[in-house]
């Protein structure tokens, strides 16, 4: 993908997720602020080895995955819909907030194409022009939230009403996930980009990522409220089932270990089953001092009923 944004004067769509989320696998909001300040001073930003390898992999595979994605989409449409590739010749810009999107590819669906909607689990109808974003990964098989935010920034800049993220992932398969333009997300992106340029202008650092207790927002107004509630119920049900069966599994294992011990067996056959309870020798490990580590951050996920608080 050609890069059309100039880091000195505008923000590329791929840099937006760190502003919205605070940090991604590759960067943070403060690193992006410093990247722009350094670019304005003519100081190049050096990529990490992890980032360079990921970008290299993507650059080599991108063209092939684009064509693969088109072929897959035509196959999904039973070859009844023509899907054409548009040439990307320039960046799509929102000059008022200095935001620029460099698209991997443009799709033109002549007619209509039905795809599974990742939000509602129903179907999404795509028609006309849309953006195609290519991702390669050795750890994911579906789009991450930061990649979805990047696509929404691209749709915001281009004016396209839909886009598809194609992920060639760890299982060596291609997944195609469609998204409609999300105006609520666009408002958030605009707010975060405006905040970014204010901080750049004032040379004001972002606060530390440890910002204390998270605050609660109410989502009763969103269109997918009922679907989100159902997903929450399903998650709680699955979580309770996992806990119940984990306890059952542990109790069964303890009872079977008693049987094996009383019969002085490490491996036993009974009926159609083989029970294995051998002694495993671990390799000796040299004594070592564990170096100190700085604080790290992670996202915790849990669902509670409000009356449980």
């Amino acid at each position: 993908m050609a890069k059309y944004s100039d880091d000195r004067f505008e923000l590329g769509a791929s840099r937006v997720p760190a502003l919205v989320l605070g940090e991604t696998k590759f960067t943070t909001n403060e690193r992006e602020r410093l990247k722009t300040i350094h670019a304005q001073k003519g100081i190049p930003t050096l990529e990490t080895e992890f980032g360079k390898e990921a970008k290299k992999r993507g650059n080599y595979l991108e063209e092939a995955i684009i064509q693969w994605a088109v072929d897959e989409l035509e196959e999904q449409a039973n070859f009844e819909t023509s899907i054409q590739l548009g040439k990307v010749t320039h960046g799509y810009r929102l000059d008022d907030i200095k935001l620029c999107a460099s698209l991997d590819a443009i799709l033109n669906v002549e007619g209509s194409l039905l795809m599974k909607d990742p939000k509602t689990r129903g179907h999404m109808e795509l028609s006309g022009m849309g953006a195609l974003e290519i991702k390669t990964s050795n750890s994911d098989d579906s789009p991450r939230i930061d990649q979805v935010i990047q696509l929404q920034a691209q749709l915001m800049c281009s004016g396209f009403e839909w886009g598809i993220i194609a992920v060639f992932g760890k299982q060596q398969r291609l997944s195609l996930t469609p998204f409609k333009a999300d105006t609520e997300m666009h408002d958030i992106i605009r707010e975060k980009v405006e905040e970014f340029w204010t901080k750049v202008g004032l040379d004001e650092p972002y606060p530390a990522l440890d910002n204390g207790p998270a605050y609660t927002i109410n989502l009763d107004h969103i269109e997918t409220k009922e679907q989100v509630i159902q997903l929450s119920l399903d998650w709680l049900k699955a979580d309770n089932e996992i806990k119940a069966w984990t306890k059952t599994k542990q109790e069964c294992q303890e009872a079977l270990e008693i049987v094996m011990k009383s019969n002085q067996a490490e491996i036993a056959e009974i009926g159609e089953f083989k029970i294995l309870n051998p002694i495993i020798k671990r390799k000796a490990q040299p004594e070592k001092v564990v170096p100190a580590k700085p604080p790290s951050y992670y996202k915790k996920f849990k669902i509670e009923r409000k009356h449980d608080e």
Side-chain angles (χ1 to χ4, degrees), residues 168-197:
F168 181 60
K170 63 180 181 179
Q171 295 188 32
Q172 305 293 284
R173 297 176 182 173
L174 183 67
S175 71
L176 300 170
T177 308
F179 296 90
K180 287 290 182 71
D182 185 337
T183 55
E184 290 184 3
M185 176 56 68
H186 294 179
D187 289 342
I188 294 172
I189 290 172
R190 176 174 287 274
E191 178 185 340
K192 293 297 185 179
V193 171
E194 289 174 345
E195 177 190 40
F196 171 84
W197 286 116

Side-chain angles (χ1 to χ4, degrees), residues 86 88 98 162 179 210 281-282 296 308:
V88 179
K98 296 182 280 188
W162 57 269
F179 296 90
D210 184 9
K281 180 181 178 181
R282 293 191 181 97
S296 60
D308 291 339

Side-chain angles (χ1 to χ4, degrees), residues 39-56:
Q40 291 174 348
K41 295 178 179 179
I43 303 171
T45 299
L46 300 178
E47 291 185 82
T48 63
E49 287 301 316
F50 178 66
K52 282 196 291 188
E53 288 302 312
K55 182 175 287 188
K56 184 187 297 184

